[in-house]
C-alpha cells in the first residue's frame, strides 16, 4: 500500500475523475466531499472535474458542487483530456481530434467483430445504430444519442475527439490488441471500463490536458493533484505532482500512484483525503 502524506500537500489545482472516484455507486457526490471541495475552492485551489464524458454530461456534477461561478471552478476537462472547457467564456480552449482515417479503420474492424462504434460532440453521442450497448453509454453520460445513416461519411467529414466501442469485454480485449498492433502510436487506446474500449488522438489524455491548463494558469505541475481509479486516469496519475488512486481502483493504478485514498468512493474517499492532507 502506498504511503500517506506526512504533512499537508502544497496544492493549487485538484483534478477529479468522476465514475468510481468522485461519484459514489449511485452516481452522486456525497455532502462531505462537496463541502471539502467548496472549502478548497474558497482557498484559491482550482477544482477541475476531469472525465471521459462529454461536456454536457459533466455539467450536472458542476451544478452539484456549486463553484462554477468562482474563478477556481470555471474549468472542466472532458472526453478523457481531449477538451478543456472554460465555463466563464463558454468555449473550448483546448481540443484534439482523432484522424478520420483512424476512425474509419477502427469502425470497420469493430464491425468485423460484430461491434458498433460511437463518436462524440459536446452534447451528443453519434452511432450507426442504437443497441443495448450504445444505450448504456448514453444513459451513463446523460446526453442525447443520435443515429447517423451515412455513418462512414459522417466519420470522414467530421472532427471528433474520441471514438468509443462498447461491447462484451472478451470481444473488446481481442479488438484492442489488434488495434494497438496496427495503429501503434497513431492513437491512444485503452479500456475505461471492461465494456468500453476508447480511441483518443496520439499523446492525448487527462494528464496532458491538466498540464496544458496548469500552464495556462501559471501553476507548476508539482502543485497539482489528480484523483482516479481506472486506466483512463493513468496519465493524470503519472503526470500530476500528486497522483491519488482510489482504494477501490485498479491494482495497476494503485501501484503507480503516489498515494492511495484511505476510504473508497462510497465513503467520501476524495473528501476525506482533501480534509486530511490539503485543507
Amino acid at each position: 500500500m502506498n504511503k500517506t502524506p506526512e504533512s499537508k500537500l502544497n496544492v493549487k489545482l485538484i483534478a477529479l475523475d468522476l465514475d468510481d472516484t468522485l461519484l459514489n455507486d449511485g452516481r452522486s457526490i456525497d455532502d462531505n466531499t462537496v463541502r471539502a471541495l467548496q472549502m478548497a475552492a474558497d482557498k484559491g485551489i482550482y477544482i477541475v472535474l476531469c472525465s471521459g464524458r462529454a461536456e454536457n454530461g459533466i455539467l450536472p456534477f458542476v451544478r452539484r458542487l456549486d463553484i462554477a461561478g468562482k474563478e477556481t471552478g470555471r474549468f472542466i476537462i472532458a472526453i478523457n483530456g481531449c477538451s478543456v472547457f472554460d465555463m466563464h467564456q463558454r468555449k473550448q480552449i483546448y481540443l484534439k481530434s482523432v484522424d478520420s482515417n483512424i476512425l474509419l479503420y477502427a469502425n470497420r474492424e469493430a464491425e468485423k467483430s460484430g461491434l458498433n462504434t460511437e463518436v462524440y460532440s459536446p452534447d451528443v453521442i453519434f452511432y450507426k445504430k442504437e443497441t443495448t450497448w450504445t444505450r448504456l453509454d448514453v444513459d451513463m453520460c446523460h446526453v442525447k444519442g443520435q443515429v447517423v445513416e451515412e455513418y462512414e461519411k459522417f466519420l470522414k467529414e467530421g472532427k471528433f475527439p474520441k471514438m468509443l466501442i462498447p461491447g462484451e469485454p472478451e470481444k473488446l480485449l481481442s479488438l484492442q490488441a489488434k488495434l494497438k498492433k496496427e495503429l501503434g502510436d497513431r492513437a491512444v487506446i485503452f479500456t475505461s471500463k471492461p465494456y468500453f474500449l476508447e480511441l483518443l488522438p496520439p499523446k492525448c489524455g487527462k494528464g496532458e490536458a491538466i498540464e496544458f491548463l496548469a500552464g495556462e494558469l501559471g501553476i507548476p505541475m508539482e502543485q497539482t493533484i489528480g484523483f482516479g481509479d481506472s486506466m483512463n486516469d493513468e496519465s493524470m496519475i503519472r503526470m500530476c505532482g500528486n497522483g491519488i488512486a482510489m482504494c477501490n481502483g485498479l491494482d495497476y493504478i494503485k501501484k503507480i500512484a503516489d498515494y492511495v485514498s484511505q476510504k473508497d468512493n462510497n465513503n467520501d474517499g476524495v473528501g476525506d483525503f482533501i480534509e486530511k492532507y490539503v485543507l
Side-chain angles (χ1 to χ4, degrees):
M1 182 64 70
N2 302 55
K3 66 183 186 300
T4 55
E6 296 179 357
S7 59
K8 297 286 187 180
L9 299 174
N10 180 14
V11 175
K12 297 296 183 185
L13 186 153
I14 299 173
L16 299 144
D17 170 56
L18 290 181
D19 294 298
D20 301 315
T21 298
L22 182 62
L23 306 186
N24 58 34
D25 289 352
R27 295 183 193 161
S28 63
I29 310 173
D30 295 324
D31 291 344
N32 289 339
T33 294
V34 170
R35 283 192 290 270
L37 292 172
Q38 289 175 340
M39 290 174 66
D42 288 341
K43 290 184 65 172
I45 300 171
Y46 281 87
I47 307 299
V48 184
L49 301 189
C50 192
S51 173
R53 301 173 189 231
E55 288 85 346
N56 278 21
I58 300 173
L59 293 180
F61 309 107
V62 170
R63 289 191 283 271
R64 169 71 171 128
L65 294 181
D66 194 26
I67 58 173
K70 302 177 185 292
E71 168 63 25
T72 49
R74 70 187 288 180
F75 300 103
I76 56 175
I77 293 174
I79 317 178
N80 281 325
C82 294
S83 167
V84 180
F85 192 82
D86 183 336
M87 291 180 286
H88 289 193
Q89 295 187 42
R90 298 178 183 271
K91 70 176 185 179
Q92 288 172 317
I93 59 172
Y94 173 94
L95 180 65
K96 288 195 171 184
S97 301
V98 184
D99 182 273
S100 61
N101 291 322
I102 299 292
L103 296 178
L104 289 167
Y105 171 78
N107 180 65
R108 289 165 186 166
E109 292 302 317
E111 289 187 342
K112 289 178 184 177
S113 300
L115 298 164
N116 294 282
T117 69
E118 311 168 0
V119 290
Y120 288 62
S121 75
D123 56 356
V124 180
I125 299 176
F126 302 97
Y127 36 75
K128 185 175 182 179
K129 66 178 180 179
E130 184 172 292
T131 67
T132 302
W133 292 107
T134 59
R135 175 51 56 187
L136 174 64
D137 190 28
V138 168
D139 290 345
M140 285 187 64
C141 293
H142 298 287
V143 295
K144 179 183 177 182
Q146 183 174 321
V147 172
V148 178
E149 291 186 4
E150 295 187 68
Y151 187 64
E152 284 208 351
K153 181 180 179 183
F154 186 69
L155 294 180
K156 185 176 181 180
E157 295 178 351
K159 287 187 175 294
F160 302 104
K162 86 168 180 179
M163 171 175 277
L164 184 138
I165 307 170
E168 297 84 353
E170 298 79 13
K171 286 186 177 181
L172 294 183
L173 284 173
S174 177
L175 180 60
Q176 180 181 22
K178 182 170 186 178
L179 292 178
K180 281 191 169 186
K181 180 180 178 181
E182 294 299 322
L183 297 177
D185 60 4
R186 289 183 290 161
V188 175
I189 303 169
F190 58 86
T191 51
S192 54
K193 291 185 180 295
Y195 43 83
F196 288 161
L197 177 62
E198 304 202 17
L199 279 76
L200 302 184
K203 299 179 180 178
C204 185
K206 292 182 179 182
E208 288 83 354
I210 293 164
E211 185 176 54
F212 165 82
L213 180 57
E216 291 291 297
L217 298 173
I219 296 173
M221 284 297 283
E222 292 76 15
Q223 294 181 339
T224 64
I225 184 169
F227 288 86
D229 72 288
S230 193
M231 292 307 297
N232 60 329
D233 303 313
E234 179 180 3
S235 67
M236 173 172 65
I237 296 293
R238 288 187 182 279
M239 295 175 68
C240 282
N242 303 279
I244 317 300
M246 300 302 292
C247 65
N248 54 281
L250 297 179
D251 287 342
Y252 174 78
I253 295 299
K254 289 188 280 189
K255 183 177 180 180
I256 66 171
D258 297 298
Y259 308 111
V260 175
S261 70
Q262 294 170 333
K263 295 183 178 182
D264 66 19
N265 65 308
N266 289 315
N267 291 281
D268 287 308
V270 168
D272 176 71
F273 190 98
I274 290 172
E275 287 177 357
K276 289 178 177 176
Y277 305 116
V278 176
L279 297 177

